[in-house]
């Protein structure tokens, strides 16, 4: 059974950094999504369970890094150079369909979310 628990959100100023963590086990594909007030949830980053392949939304490419520590059953999202438009609830997500880790619509297991607020 897939269980996802996020942590690490908070408030930072523009240009700051945060690292989100997600305690998870029993997954094939994992990712981070976000949802800002009044907007649809969007995929941010994804990683294949072997850690060899990652994918990023254009809006975060070069600023965010997804990684995992399989020994600790933990997924991370390192967020640097944060902007006010990064403000959102961030969700850890997972699914089990092989070869489709970078298809956002496949994600069907979700954490409860952690809030990230970036002030100008």
């Amino acid at each position: 059974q897939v269980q996802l628990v996020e942590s690490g959100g908070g408030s930072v100023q523009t240009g700051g950094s945060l690292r989100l963590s997600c305690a998870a086990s029993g997954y094939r594909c994992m990712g981070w999504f976000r949802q800002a007030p009044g907007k649809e949830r969007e995929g941010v980053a994804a990683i294949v369970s072997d850690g060899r392949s990652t994918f990023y939304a254009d809006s975060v490419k070069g600023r965010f890094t997804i990684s995992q520590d399989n020994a600790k059953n933990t997924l991370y999202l390192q967020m640097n150079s944060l902007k006010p438009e990064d403000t959102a609830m961030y969700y850890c997500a997972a699914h089990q369909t092989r070869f489709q880790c970078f298809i956002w619509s496949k994600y069907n297991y979700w954490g409860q979310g952690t809030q990230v607020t970036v002030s100008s």
Side-chain angles (χ1 to χ4, degrees), residues 36-106:
K39 295 187 177 181
E40 293 186 356
R41 186 157 50 188
E42 63 174 350
V44 173
I47 189 167
V48 180
S49 59
D50 63 8
R52 294 180 181 178
S53 298
T54 58
F55 179 81
Y56 297 93
D58 287 343
S59 58
V60 305
K61 202 172 294 183
R63 300 188 298 121
F64 291 10
T65 303
I66 189 171
S67 63
Q68 61 187 26
D69 184 334
N70 287 334
K72 296 182 179 179
N73 291 326
T74 303
L75 178 74
Y76 301 101
L77 185 68
Q78 178 66 44
M79 305 185 295
N80 299 328
S81 302
L82 283 162
K83 306 174 182 180
E85 51 263 44
D86 295 317
T87 295
M89 185 71 77
Y90 282 72
Y91 298 90
C92 177
H95 75 80
Q96 301 285 43
T97 305
R98 294 184 68 186
F99 310 121
Q100 297 185 10
C101 293
F102 306 147
I103 300 177
W104 302 127
S105 61
K106 290 295 184 179

Side-chain angles (χ1 to χ4, degrees), residues 19 43 108:
R19 188 177 78 161
N108 56 355

